[in-house]
Each structure stands twice: as C-alpha cells, then as structure tokens.
Amino acid sequence: MSLNGVLRLACSFLLVAGVVSVSTTIASADEPKTTKVTIKGLELEVPAAWSSQPPANSMRLAQFLVPGATPEASAELVISSFGGAVDANLNRWAAQFAADGREVKVTRGKVPQGEYYLSDITGTFNQPVGPPMAGKTKAVPGTRSLSVMLLTPEKGTFFLKLTGPDATVKAAADDLRKTFGASAKDETPYTPQ
C-alpha cells in the first residue's frame, strides 16, 4: 500500500472513531486555504499546506507535517490532551532543551475556546530517541518549539506543540496561533513559578 493509501486509511480510522473531523475552507485569492479540523471538540483552522499524518503514538490525538524550505527543514505539530498544572507543563517543556544557550519566552492569552499559555523556546533540543521509557535523547541544535496549553472550559486541556528548525517554526508562528484563533498582539508576558 502506498504512503498516501496508509495516510487515507489512518485518517479514515480517526474519522470513524470520532476523534478527528475534517472540512476544507475555500479562501479568497489573497488568503491561504485552511482545513477545519475538530479534535475531541477542539476546533482548529489548519493551513492546507500542513499535511496530516497518522499519530506516531497513542498519546497524540493528531499530528501535522509543517513544510520548511527543504524537506529536511520541515517541522512537526503534535496535538494531545492530558492534565497537569500550567507551570509544571511550561517547566517540562523548558527542560526538553539544554540549559546552555536556551532562550524561553512565555505569554498568555484568551480566545473564544478558552485561556492559553504559549511557550516559545529556542536552543538545543534534547530529541527523544527510541521508546519513551528508555529516556534516550539526541542533541539537536538550532531547534525552536512553540508549545501551547489551551484550557477549554468544557472540553479539557489541549496541547499544540510545533517543533523543528528555528527558521521553519518562526515562519509558522502566526499560522499556529491562527489555528486556534489567537494573535501575538493580544498576548501578555507570563512568568512560570
């Protein structure tokens, strides 16, 4: 079976299971096309250029490949939902980068779906390698991660984590915010405790 066939099969499974629903929005000539994606009640407007992929593990509800200038420069958006306190998650994300040279900026905002916190981290990412229980990582310098914790009042807490080469993630930052209706100009600084 071809890769496209596998992707269609995986998306069909998720659609049938009721985890993900998808519809395409037609945009005007000057506005990029987006795809409306609903994941366990969370509504997102994902750029059509971001390709849906089968989740790599059971902790992920959905994932997308965000194209870079070259295939090697692509980034990955992972969407998941689980618990945890705001500061604990912000600190966990920071710890995924080597302390030396790490830069962290955290902001907060509010959108119609709920309140959110956004962690913008650059530096050397300690990328997990192999099974999660093994705890093995490899150092990947020049990485950027935009991690969003979106607290929806009735649907739970969702995480949107965009990770990849600094230039690719920086170029996709506004689009990531638009997926859930946010804008950087409406955010305020936040300092994790």
Side-chain angles (χ1 to χ4, degrees):
M1 180 179 289
S2 71
L3 178 59
N4 282 340
V6 171
L7 290 174
R8 281 192 204 106
L9 181 63
C11 287
S12 296
F13 171 76
L14 291 172
L15 291 170
V16 170
V19 176
V20 178
S21 68
V22 178
S23 66
T24 301
T25 302
I26 305 299
S28 64
D30 61 338
E31 189 177 332
K33 187 166 60 167
T34 61
T35 301
K36 184 176 182 177
V37 179
T38 304
I39 303 167
K40 291 185 78 174
L42 174 68
E43 295 180 359
L44 302 173
E45 288 284 339
V46 178
W50 296 9
S51 13
S52 177
Q53 300 182 312
N57 61 54
S58 62
M59 301 267 313
R60 299 177 176 195
L61 298 175
Q63 72 183 51
F64 295 85
L65 181 70
V66 178
T70 64
E72 299 78 29
S74 296
E76 178 183 63
L77 172 64
V78 173
I79 301 163
S80 55
S81 178
F82 48 88
V86 171
D87 287 351
N89 281 294
L90 294 170
N91 291 329
R92 177 175 57 82
W93 290 329
Q96 292 172 344
F97 283 74
D100 188 32
R102 175 180 62 203
E103 293 182 27
V104 180
K105 177 184 175 188
V106 181
T107 55
R108 68 189 300 177
K110 191 162 179 71
V111 293
Q113 294 188 85
E115 182 178 16
Y116 71 92
Y117 298 82
L118 187 145
S119 173
D120 182 351
I121 308 171
T122 56
T124 299
F125 181 56
N126 297 316
Q127 181 179 26
V129 177
M133 296 300 192
K136 294 184 179 183
T137 62
K138 78 172 183 179
V140 183
T143 301
R144 186 177 207 129
S145 181
L146 295 175
S147 302
V148 177
M149 183 176 187
L150 176 59
L151 304 127
T152 64
E154 297 175 10
K155 299 168 190 146
T157 301
F158 291 90
F159 299 89
L160 291 80
K161 187 173 183 188
L162 176 62
T163 307
D166 186 10
T168 304
V169 173
K170 183 178 180 180
D174 286 341
D175 286 336
L176 174 66
R177 284 179 170 94
K178 287 177 189 174
T179 64
F180 62 99
S183 173
K185 68 179 178 56
D186 299 326
E187 295 171 358
T188 58
Y190 178 77
T191 304
Q193 306 301 311

